[in-house]
Amino acid sequence: EVQLVQSGAEVKKPGESLKISCKASGYSFTSYWIGWVRQMPGKGLEWMGIIFPGDSDTRYSPSFQGQVTISADKSISTAYVQWSSLKASDTAMYYCARSLRVAKHFDSWGQGTLVTVSS
Amino acid sequence: DIVLTQSPATLSLSPGERATLSCGASQSVSSNYLAWYQQKPGLAPRLLIYDASRGATGIPDRFSGSGSGTDFTLTISRLEPEDFAVYYCQQYGNSPPTFGGGTKVEIK
């Protein structure tokens, strides 16, 4: 069974750094892309970026380029998204999701990680 | 970026009725690479339809997708109680992939 299990909820202050994770199991981690999707409170879905763990090829939406860093550690089948300096506007639910190709639908999703940034 | 506009924003229907959800694109979606997802409160989205009309694994056949170019439709033939949720379309034929704003299907 394909599973994407994300790290737990985080509460941070503006300016702090953060790295959240997405651990994959039940399939070959290096054969699929892992994407990240933001959902701000009460809002819709936003495609942030995607990584191919096999060779770390990474693509970003222009809206998120330079705002976050996506990475992966294939030795532990885990993908990450990180922020160097959080803002209140980063408060959102973040989902990881699996895709067969860089330009394809997401067929499996993690449960989401809620990030709250507040002073 | 391609902008996807979903309509209506809210659809009020009764169980057993047919639901028709629309997704319009600001420009033609390459290869009709469009997906539909269902999201229930507090849960992650779930893939229903991909490539405009292909049903995802395990999805009941009351869900169907159609359309091409700039106009796409998700149809739920007979609403079951568990179908009341928010539905999103996503295009992945043009970079960057984008999502629509969602349609909420609520119980009338």
Side-chain angles (χ1 to χ4, degrees):
Chain A
E1 178 196 6
V2 174
Q3 282 197 307
L4 299 173
V5 178
Q6 298 185 230
S7 50
E10 301 275 1
V11 179
K12 292 289 190 179
K13 295 186 184 327
E16 291 187 333
S17 62
L18 176 64
K19 191 174 189 178
I20 62 174
S21 66
C22 169
K23 183 169 177 60
S25 62
Y27 72 98
S28 174
F29 183 63
T30 54
S31 298
Y32 286 79
W33 294 73
I34 292 284
W36 288 92
V37 175
R38 182 174 78 176
Q39 187 167 39
M40 299 176 77
K43 302 299 184 182
L45 306 171
E46 299 173 90
W47 194 95
M48 298 171 63
I50 199 165
I51 187 167
F52 187 69
D55 61 6
S56 294
D57 185 5
T58 308
R59 317 288 175 86
Y60 294 93
S61 166
S63 299
F64 290 89
Q65 180 85 46
Q67 308 304 308
V68 299
T69 301
I70 292 171
S71 60
D73 184 340
K74 58 187 178 183
S75 71
I76 55 172
S77 300
T78 301
Y80 306 93
V81 61
Q82 66 183 83
W83 296 259
S84 59
S85 180
L86 287 160
K87 302 184 284 288
S89 57
D90 293 318
T91 294
M93 181 72 81
Y94 293 88
Y95 294 101
C96 64
R98 186 186 81 159
S99 180
L100 182 59
R101 291 198 285 276
V102 64
K104 261 308 204 179
H105 53 279
F106 290 126
D107 63 0
S108 292
W109 293 67
Q111 84 279 17
T113 296
L114 180 62
V115 174
T116 303
V117 183
S118 173
S119 55
Chain B
D1 297 8
I2 289 183
V3 175
L4 299 179
T5 302
Q6 292 190 239
S7 61
T10 303
L11 195 53
S12 299
L13 295 168
S14 300
E17 289 194 293
R18 181 184 188 89
T20 302
L21 288 66
S22 296
C23 177
S26 59
Q27 57 186 279
S28 184
V29 176
S30 179
S31 303
N32 296 325
Y33 276 174
L34 188 116
W36 290 93
Y37 301 89
Q38 177 194 67
Q39 187 177 32
K40 296 180 180 179
L43 296 180
R46 176 175 72 144
L47 177 68
L48 300 175
I49 302 289
Y50 66 96
D51 295 353
S53 60
R54 296 177 181 271
T57 302
I59 300 304
D61 58 10
R62 64 180 180 273
F63 291 93
S64 63
S66 62
S68 64
T70 60
D71 296 297
F72 298 89
T73 300
L74 174 69
T75 301
I76 311 172
S77 59
R78 287 179 56 85
L79 282 164
E80 298 287 341
E82 62 268 27
D83 298 337
F84 291 91
V86 178
Y87 293 83
Y88 294 96
C89 57
Q90 179 210 10
Q91 69 79 24
Y92 43 90
N94 304 69
S95 183
T98 51
F99 289 91
T103 289
K104 181 179 181 180
V105 178
E106 66 176 22
I107 300 176
K108 186 173 182 180

